[in-house]
Amino acid sequence: MNKKQFEELAKNPKFISGIYNYCDRWCRRCSFTQRCMTFALCEDKFDNPQSKDISNKIFWDKLGDIFKVTLEMVKETAEKMGVDLNSIDLEKAAKHEERIHKIVEEQLYTQTAIEYVKMANNWFDSNKELLEDKADELKTQIEADIPGIKPVDEAIGIKDCLEIIRWYQHQIYVKLCRSAGGMIQDESEEIEYYLHDANGSAKVAIIGIERSIMAWGRLLNQFPQQEREILELLVNLKKLLRMVETAFPDARAFVRPGFDAIN
Ligand code: SF4
C-alpha cells in the first residue's frame, strides 16, 4: 500500500477515528474489527502466514513498507505545519526522554505493575505440571463421557482465564508507563493532549487489571490448592488498581472512541 492508497483508506467513513489508540490490541476478540483502520491495514499487509511470521523476510519487508509510508506522511505533515525536522535538537530530546523514563520507573504503580509481571511469570513457571495434570484429567473425563460432568466447558474456561492473564500481564505495565509519561510532560506546550492520553492509557490499564482479577478469581475456583499463591497475586492486583485510580482519578470517565462511544 502506498501513501495515496493509505490516504484513501483513511477517508473511509466506516472507520472510527482513533479507536485503536485506547483498545487492548486483542483483535481476535474485538467486535470492532470492521470499523478499525489499523485492523484493515494489518489485514492488507499481513494477509498470509509468511507475512505474520517474524522470522520470515516477508514480514520485515512489509513492516518496512509501513514505516516508509509513515515517515513520508510525517515529513509531509511537518512541512505543512512549518516544522523543520532537521532542526530538532536530538541530544536535548534524548535527555528529556531519559528524564521521563527515570520518573516513570520511580512511580509506585509502575513498580507494582512490573512486580505483578514477575509474580505471574513465577506462577506459570512453577505450575506447569499442575496445568498439565489438569489437562490430562479433563481429557480422561472427556473420554469417559460421564453424565453430569462438563469437562469441555471446564477446559474452555481454564484456557480463557490463562489467555486473559497472559494477554494483559505485560500490557498493564506498558500502558501505565505511558500514563505516567503523559502526566509528567510538564514542560510541553501540549500538556492537555498528554493528560488526555494519560487518562486513556490508564483506563486501558484499569480494564486489563480488572479482567485479570476476574480471570485469577476463576482460576482460584479451579485450583483451590493454589489459594495462597493466587490470593497473593490478587492482593497485588487490587493494590495496583487502587494506586492507578488514585493517580488517575479521571481515567474511568475517559471515553474511548468506539468502545465507550460510537462515532
Ligand atoms: S480496535 Fe479492535 S481491531 Fe482495532 S487494533 Fe484495537 S483490538 Fe484490534
Side-chain angles (χ1 to χ4, degrees):
M1 183 175 289
N2 58 31
K3 188 167 79 69
K4 200 163 178 306
Q5 288 167 322
F6 184 92
E7 283 167 349
E8 277 309 309
L9 187 71
K11 281 184 204 155
N12 190 329
K14 79 171 182 174
F15 294 131
I16 298 171
S17 172
I19 187 170
Y20 38 76
N21 286 334
Y22 304 104
C23 68
D24 62 9
R25 291 295 163 124
W26 206 346
C27 304
R28 192 161 55 79
R29 291 196 175 198
C30 180
S31 47
F32 284 96
T33 50
Q34 296 312 305
R35 302 203 59 196
C36 173
M37 191 176 145
T38 294
F39 184 82
L41 273 172
C42 290
E43 284 294 286
D44 177 74
K45 277 282 170 202
F46 306 100
D47 55 352
N48 60 56
Q50 290 100 322
S51 66
K52 289 177 180 161
D53 176 4
I54 61 162
S55 62
N56 195 303
K57 186 176 175 295
I58 296 175
F59 169 85
W60 294 104
D61 287 347
K62 296 224 173 199
L63 195 63
D65 285 349
I66 293 179
F67 285 161
K68 218 167 109 189
V69 173
T70 309
L71 190 63
E72 231 178 280
M73 292 175 73
V74 168
K75 280 182 184 162
E76 207 177 278
T77 309
E79 221 173 273
K80 274 187 204 154
M81 292 171 74
V83 176
D84 177 7
L85 292 177
N86 295 321
S87 71
I88 293 174
D89 185 340
L90 293 178
E91 206 177 315
K92 192 177 162 202
K95 274 193 187 144
H96 180 64
E97 281 306 312
E98 213 175 288
R99 178 182 154 261
I100 290 187
H101 184 69
K102 193 169 171 287
I103 300 175
V104 164
E105 291 206 320
E106 284 167 2
Q107 303 305 309
L108 209 52
Y109 55 83
T110 53
Q111 290 171 6
T112 308
I114 203 72
E115 180 60 26
Y116 168 66
V117 171
K118 289 179 194 157
M119 286 172 79
N121 277 342
N122 286 342
W123 190 87
F124 280 97
D125 288 345
S126 359
N127 287 295
K128 276 185 192 144
E129 218 173 291
L130 176 84
L131 294 171
E132 281 165 13
D133 287 350
K134 187 71 180 175
D136 289 344
E137 181 193 322
L138 292 172
K139 264 189 226 157
T140 311
Q141 286 181 3
I142 292 168
E143 280 162 17
D145 196 16
I146 306 162
I149 297 185
K150 295 183 174 170
V152 174
D153 290 356
E154 204 179 322
I156 291 171
I158 293 174
K159 184 172 174 279
D160 184 50
C161 292
L162 299 177
E163 280 184 4
I164 291 171
I165 291 166
R166 284 306 208 187
W167 189 264
Y168 293 109
Q169 182 187 345
H170 294 273
Q171 189 180 92
I172 294 167
Y173 170 70
V174 172
K175 290 289 171 187
L176 289 177
C177 287
R178 187 172 171 106
S179 300
M183 292 297 273
I184 49 189
Q185 297 275 357
D186 45 8
E187 290 162 14
S188 167
E189 289 168 9
E190 294 175 354
I191 184 72
E192 268 186 40
Y193 162 75
Y194 283 117
L195 287 178
H196 176 80
D197 185 64
N199 280 319
S201 300
K203 181 160 186 173
V204 179
I206 286 174
I207 291 168
I209 296 170
E210 288 181 332
R211 289 186 183 162
S212 303
I213 289 175
M214 184 202 66
W216 281 114
R218 282 165 59 202
L219 273 192
L220 181 56
N221 289 333
Q222 292 294 337
F223 301 103
Q225 67 275 46
Q226 281 291 307
E227 185 174 312
R228 191 178 53 82
E229 291 85 347
I230 295 182
L231 283 181
E232 273 174 18
L233 280 150
L234 283 168
V235 167
N236 179 287
L237 279 174
K238 291 246 174 173
K239 200 168 71 180
L240 178 59
L241 185 60
R242 279 197 300 275
M243 286 177 189
V244 178
E245 285 176 329
T246 307
F248 303 96
D250 298 327
R252 277 197 188 271
F254 182 92
V255 178
R256 292 167 306 153
F259 296 99
D260 301 320
I262 305 285
N263 291 13

